[in-house]
Amino acid sequence: MRILGIETSCDETSAAIVEGTGDDVVQRSLVILSQDVHRVFGGVVPEIASRAHLSAIVPVVEGALRDADTSLGGVDAVAVTNAPGLVGALLVGVSYAKALAFAAGKPLVGVHHMEGHLFATSLEHADAVPPFTALLVSGGHTLIVDCEAWGEYRVLGSTRDDAAGEAFDKVAKLLGLPYPGGRHIERLAADGDPTRFRFTRPMLRRNQTPADDDYFDVSFSGLKTALLLAVRESVNLERDRADLARGFQDALVETLAEKTARAARLYHRDRVVLGGGVACNAALVQAVRARLEATGGRVFAPTPRLATDNAAMIARAGLFHAERGERAGWDLNAFATMPLPGLRP
Ligand code: KG4
Ligand code: ZN
């Protein structure tokens, strides 16, 4: 099967072609156009994102088809992110995908953006397939998921407030760094002294048990406030900036790594798959590795291109659903929020 994937849920206009069957799937092309315009506003402006998708979608899709040496006639289905995300942004991809599929007489498949992130790493690592524990950390979501098989998910933990990427971006702003701030914090933290600022690890206590409802959940708003207070108290922010970044990153990373390791342990998974933009963070990947590899587990992290929003992961998840004969109707709609499909109790 050859699938055209389209992703417009936030501030990346992306299209890709993947091809294969079962878990034997390769990426034929991937075009990602990142909307830089939001930088000046310090965050994504939804209306501007929709307009930018509108002007980019046609050349981006044409580019993906051309790079894969194919045409619309040569694909077996069109897969598109229809939730969750910015509704106006999603609508551009959904409307365009519908029009393409209808005009070419191809099936249409709607894909949940976070299910796309679950599939992304498998395009780069053949063993990043179920059963596994997943840590999905992006600007909008933080999920710890047990994945028994493709299409069978159990959400074990999530954030009670800010997503991990959102926490990085907000703390970056406090430290006077550009948006999006995750990679700037990571770079600063590398030179920071880990002993100067030690922040409380959120929702992480030694005596927690799986029966506690915060055993897997995370929360970053308290950590953000602690950072804010430390910034206010600093008499020389220039001097303290790297140490503060380090203190923040260490607290966040240790929390996520420990919660992920708990999930893998409880469900006896020896594979852990990371996904989402924050999975670009080498300190996070290293911390998860250190915990899992100590007990013989393996950790798979995507390269930055597939960690951040992209259409290859949407095409890959779409291929799975298309193979199962799932089709979206022409009334497929965009939704700001939606639970992952295939949820197990
Ligand atoms: O998955 P993604 O591209 O978009 C969403 O679906 O939200 O994730 C973007 C997030 C931003 O918050 C950004 O600051 C964060 O990923 N990010 C990082 C790093 N690179 C990107 N966070 C920490 N360390 C990084 N190296
Ligand atoms: Zn995403």
Side-chain angles (χ1 to χ4, degrees):
M1 262 198 166
R2 186 184 289 159
I3 309 286
L4 165 64
I6 296 177
E7 154 67 37
T8 63
S9 70
C10 191
D11 58 347
E12 260 88 32
T13 315
S14 182
I17 303 284
V18 304
E19 201 176 288
T21 51
D23 279 333
D24 190 11
V25 181
V26 292
Q27 176 187 311
R28 287 277 175 239
S29 67
L30 171 58
V31 177
I32 306 174
L33 191 73
S34 293
Q35 304 175 355
D36 280 343
V37 53
H38 305 288
R39 276 170 212 275
V40 292
F41 301 102
V44 177
V45 184
E47 181 59 19
I48 294 178
S50 311
R51 284 164 194 254
H53 285 306
L54 265 181
S55 52
I57 187 86
V58 175
V60 163
V61 169
E62 283 175 351
L65 289 168
R66 196 171 48 241
D67 290 353
D69 279 325
T70 189
S71 62
L72 193 53
V75 305
D76 298 300
V78 180
V80 62
T81 311
N82 74 306
L86 303 169
V87 167
L90 287 165
L91 262 181
V92 176
V94 168
S95 308
Y96 190 59
K98 274 191 210 176
L100 284 181
F102 187 75
K106 305 289 178 182
L108 177 72
V109 181
V111 174
H112 189 285
H113 181 80
M114 298 312 289
E115 190 180 28
H117 278 299
L118 275 177
F119 273 92
T121 313
S122 72
L123 286 167
E124 295 180 318
H125 300 277
D127 289 339
V129 293
F132 60 71
T133 299
L135 171 64
L136 299 183
V137 272
S138 68
H141 298 268
T142 302
L143 293 176
I144 295 175
V145 180
D146 183 65
C147 176
E148 173 95 42
W150 293 129
E152 290 178 32
Y153 314 118
R154 204 175 264 118
V155 174
L156 302 178
S158 56
T159 179
R160 301 268 178 102
D161 37 63
D162 292 350
E166 196 179 353
F168 266 105
D169 295 340
K170 287 179 177 170
V171 166
K173 204 176 228 171
L174 290 177
L175 296 177
L177 301 168
Y179 171 87
R183 61 195 167 89
H184 299 286
I185 297 245
E186 179 176 13
R187 203 173 305 141
L188 258 184
D191 298 325
D193 178 347
T195 62
R196 274 199 67 212
F197 297 95
R198 194 185 151 81
F199 298 105
T200 307
R201 275 55 178 149
M203 293 203 169
L204 198 60
R205 299 181 310 278
R206 209 164 284 141
N207 58 359
Q208 276 167 311
T209 72
D212 296 331
D213 63 0
D214 60 355
Y215 189 66
F216 295 116
D217 277 354
V218 294
S219 156
F220 298 120
S221 68
L223 179 58
K224 194 179 61 192
T225 306
L227 240 295
L228 173 67
L229 295 177
V231 167
R232 282 198 188 140
E233 278 166 19
S234 168
V235 287
N236 186 346
L237 190 58
E238 209 44 59
R239 182 201 63 197
D240 292 344
R241 191 176 275 133
D243 302 337
L244 285 164
R246 178 62 183 262
F248 161 75
Q249 183 175 276
D250 281 357
L252 180 140
V253 158
E254 190 184 331
T255 305
L256 288 174
E258 175 56 25
K259 303 252 163 171
T260 306
R262 286 177 178 179
R265 207 160 51 227
L266 198 67
Y267 286 84
H268 307 291
R269 305 295 181 212
D270 60 1
R271 279 177 256 198
V272 167
V273 169
L274 304 183
V278 183
C280 295
N281 188 287
L284 174 65
V285 178
Q286 244 169 40
V288 178
R289 281 229 157 93
R291 274 185 173 65
L292 265 291
E293 290 179 356
T295 53
R298 286 190 296 164
V299 177
F300 302 97
T303 58
R305 200 163 157 77
L306 287 188
T308 52
D309 289 350
N310 69 84
M313 67 185 197
I314 302 304
R316 176 64 189 87
L319 187 143
F320 165 73
H321 290 290
E323 274 187 328
R324 296 212 297 189
E326 295 170 28
R327 305 286 182 261
W330 300 120
D331 57 352
L332 180 71
N333 210 344
F335 298 96
T337 60
M338 187 189 269
L340 261 179
L343 282 187
R344 296 284 177 269

